[in-house]
Amino acid sequence: VEYSPQFSGVPKEPVVVEVGGNMTVTVSAKANPAEIGFRWKKEGGAMVPTQGDAYSRWSHDGGTLTLRQVPKEDAGTYIVIANNTVGESKETIRVTVHYPATVVSIGPEDPAISEGATLELRCSVDGNPEAATSVKWEKVGSKNNFTTGSVLALPPANTSTAGEYVCVANNGIPAASPKEHRMSRLSLIHI
């Protein structure tokens, strides 16, 4: 009985790669007639060239997709199309790119407050994977430990509350040597 390609061995979970790294994923398919052609494309994007295109970071060799020197933008859904003389079948593979956490901003812009008032410093971080534990706070010149998370609620302001607070982001990427990114904000007291 003749039939179009039927996939097997397609990853159901996202394939994870670190930014700058390489990844290869292989799928297989059976069909009758057994000669199967494969095409790959990024959803909403371009076709992936066949292996041997020296100018492309993306390539495929049949059911094997290879991405080299992966930037964040390579994350997304890739579609593999298998066809024979009877018909074609499609499967999707999700690719997740892990990249180091960076502090994007700290707010409020003007953290000057009156004595006795309270202040929350908010740290915005971009990174993948995201985790609340990837953000912590430090106060320059202090040995106090602050809670982990993107929001730091300061106690009622007094002269000891004033100072430079540092948001520190580290999500463990790259795994071989995790990078830490820091941004500071000065908190002033108006008396």
Side-chain angles (χ1 to χ4, degrees), residues 50-57 68:
T50 57
Q51 190 173 29
D53 183 343
Y55 299 104
S56 180
R57 290 181 307 94
R68 292 182 298 281

Side-chain angles (χ1 to χ4, degrees), residues 66-137:
T66 300
L67 304 179
R68 292 182 298 281
Q69 301 168 353
V70 175
K72 293 189 297 188
E73 296 77 22
D74 280 0
T77 301
Y78 290 79
I79 302 164
V80 57
I81 304 153
N83 67 294
N84 67 359
T85 57
V86 177
E88 70 178 30
S89 301
K90 296 179 184 180
E91 275 290 345
T92 59
I93 295 168
R94 290 178 296 150
V95 173
T96 298
V97 179
H98 283 181
Y99 55 93
T102 56
V103 179
V104 177
S105 65
I106 297 179
E109 281 296 317
D110 179 15
I113 58 172
S114 301
E115 189 169 4
T118 58
L119 174 67
E120 283 188 349
L121 293 176
R122 296 182 179 277
C123 181
S124 176
V125 175
D126 177 37
N128 188 25
E130 292 180 21
T133 57
S134 68
V135 179
K136 67 180 181 177
W137 290 89

